[in-house]
Amino acid sequence: MTRFNARGTFAIYWTELMRAFRTFFQSIFAPVLTTSLYFVVFGAAIGGRMAQVGGVSYGAFIIPGLLLLTLLGETTSNASFGIYMPRFTGTIYELLSAPVGVAETLIGFVGAAVTKSLILTAIILVTASFFVDYHIVHPWLALLFVVLVASAFALFGFILGCWADGFEKLGIVPMLILQPLTFLGGTFYSIDMLPDPWRTVALANPIVYLVNGLRWCFTGQADVAFGTSMAITAGFLVLCIAAITTIFRTGWRLRA
């Protein structure tokens, strides 16, 4: 039985995490600044003139959506770039020939992406407190949900990094798919406000369940059941793990 290579796992994890800090302004400062501008405009300026949504202030209502707007894009992009660069430079063969298996590789890459996501989450929440008065109803469930979402989209980004054959493709999914779906996923409004059939159409957007899952953790209220949000997120996580296992088993896009 092959032993778990903890040293190799930590080496991958530390390398990926330090890459984020070496590009601090792009990886951490820029997304926090962008999110802060949303809080200034929607939370403080516009939110102060709007009625409560679901019993909470509008500024507090949009915090979960803005968190996910940042985390989904940053986690996916960070993980996809992390595996794409070794492919681009040819150093992927060093990883493939190293005494680390699929589990060690995934834990290293995903662990670094999740750590960065938690750092971003903490900074954004602290920043939000300067503009919005909010309270997290279920803090531990919120932490668990953020970790689960970050893990799933780090794996998804890993898949995108294997699929992409150019730098342009790395930004297609985060910018042209994830970001629009998050904006349309109830970030700034409750889907219960939508008339039929648009409410039904909105429920076909998978990001709706992520936003509402985190919103329930923050406010105790959401448009969909928290259990449904957890099940969909966990299912996506398992699907991504299965896909990456197949990629490593077949060598698809890794040895090309």
Side-chain angles (χ1 to χ4, degrees):
M1 182 177 179
T2 305
R3 293 180 57 186
F4 181 81
N5 190 339
R7 179 175 295 182
T9 302
F10 182 77
I12 296 173
Y13 168 83
W14 190 251
T15 300
E16 285 300 298
L17 189 60
M18 287 301 101
R19 180 172 60 81
F21 284 105
R22 284 195 299 271
T23 57
F24 174 82
F25 284 97
Q26 178 183 352
S27 299
I28 297 177
F29 181 76
V32 170
L33 177 61
T34 302
T35 308
S36 299
L37 293 177
Y38 281 119
F39 284 126
V40 171
V41 176
F42 291 97
I46 297 178
R49 301 173 181 269
M50 296 185 63
Q52 291 186 338
V53 181
V56 299
S57 67
Y58 184 70
F61 176 82
I62 65 175
I63 287 177
L66 290 180
L67 269 178
L68 287 180
L69 181 64
T70 299
L71 293 186
L72 296 187
E74 289 298 315
T75 303
T76 303
S77 298
N78 187 63
S80 62
F81 189 81
I83 189 61
Y84 176 78
M85 280 306 295
R87 292 180 54 233
F88 178 75
T89 59
T91 56
I92 185 66
Y93 295 103
E94 297 179 6
L95 177 63
L96 295 176
S97 60
V100 290
V102 177
E104 291 99 322
T105 302
L106 292 185
I107 292 173
F109 277 101
V110 173
V114 171
T115 301
K116 178 190 169 186
S117 297
L118 293 177
I119 293 173
L120 278 175
T121 298
I123 296 175
I124 290 173
L125 288 178
V126 171
T127 304
S129 66
F130 292 103
F131 306 102
V132 179
D133 184 20
Y134 70 92
H135 172 68
I136 304 177
V137 178
H138 305 287
W140 292 111
L141 281 177
L143 177 61
L144 173 63
F145 194 76
V146 167
V147 170
L148 187 64
V149 170
S151 299
F153 279 85
L155 292 169
F156 181 60
F158 196 95
I159 296 171
L160 290 180
C162 293
W163 164 75
D165 55 8
F167 286 99
E168 184 179 5
K169 284 188 177 182
L170 290 178
I172 289 177
V173 173
M175 295 297 296
L176 300 183
I177 298 180
L178 286 181
Q179 192 172 79
L181 286 179
T182 307
F183 272 105
L184 298 174
T187 296
F188 298 103
Y189 57 88
S190 168
I191 62 173
D192 281 340
M193 297 177 178
L194 299 176
D196 287 327
W198 297 113
R199 185 179 185 279
T200 303
V201 172
L203 289 173
N205 179 356
I207 305 299
V208 165
Y209 300 91
L210 304 185
V211 172
N212 279 276
L214 190 58
R215 181 166 290 146
W216 182 87
C217 295
F218 271 68
T219 67
Q221 299 183 33
D223 298 326
V224 297
F226 179 69
T228 303
S229 299
M230 284 289 287
I232 289 177
T233 307
F236 183 59
L237 176 69
V238 172
L239 184 64
C240 289
I241 291 175
I244 293 177
T245 301
T246 302
I247 288 174
F248 272 91
R249 184 180 297 119
T250 61
W252 180 75
R253 294 280 193 173
L254 294 178
R255 300 185 176 92

